[in-house]
Amino acid sequence: DIGGLSHGARFSNAQNEALPGTAYSVWSLIEAGYFNEAGTQRGLTYLRAHATETDDAYVLALVANALVSADRAATPEGALKLDAATLSVINQLAEQAMRDRNTAMWSSAMTYTGAKGRTGDIETTALAALALLRAGEQPQIANAALTALVQQKDNFGTWYSTQATIL
């Protein structure tokens, strides 16, 4: 039962510690083609009911990506219609962006990989940008996030860690 799945990592700003694990699991299951499975639907119901129980940008970005994937799976190709819970999370995520001229970044206390500081911020920003882009919402902030990510690339052409580079 993934509705309220717990995880090993502790997210200091997540009032609901089940959100990150549930969001990550639901997102993964939907992307793997298990949208209609009962466990995925229970997890999705849980996410929609508890989506706002965090102020951590990384957790919020995980929830946003899971909800956007669900909305994409529920609508015919080319007809994306975002659920009210998804729009609410996307807007909350956009409001948390730290803007500076033409860039936007998000910060988190810790990611699943244990990344903190600059690397954690890169992972969080990449997840937030992905959610905004896939949702087709907040394009100016998404573009500003991509600009910030390009500027964060290190001298080796990566983003300081494997996970940050992958994202």
Side-chain angles (χ1 to χ4, degrees), residues 56-69:
D56 184 275
Y58 182 83
V59 176
L60 199 58
L62 286 173
V63 172
N65 276 293
L67 294 178
V68 169
S69 287

Side-chain angles (χ1 to χ4, degrees), residues 2-4 10 22 38 40 50 62 66 78 101 106 109 115 134 139 160 162:
I2 64 170
R10 301 292 298 170
T22 304
T40 306
H50 300 279
L62 286 173
R101 290 189 182 166
W106 286 261
R134 293 189 73 225
Y160 303 97
T162 302

Side-chain angles (χ1 to χ4, degrees), residues 19-43:
L19 273 176
T22 304
Y24 193 83
S25 298
V26 167
W27 183 20
S28 299
L29 289 166
I30 292 168
E31 292 299 318
Y34 295 101
F35 173 73
N36 292 315
E37 298 297 319
T40 306
Q41 289 301 308
R42 279 193 306 274

Side-chain angles (χ1 to χ4, degrees), residues 131-167:
L132 297 177
L133 291 168
R134 293 189 73 225
E137 295 289 321
Q138 305 284 347
Q140 293 169 328
I141 296 175
N143 188 45
L146 294 175
T147 300
L149 288 169
V150 168
Q151 292 176 357
Q152 296 297 315
K153 192 186 300 187
D154 66 19
N155 293 335
F156 299 104
T158 65
W159 283 265
Y160 303 97
S161 75
T162 302
Q163 187 64 25
T165 300
I166 290 168
L167 289 170

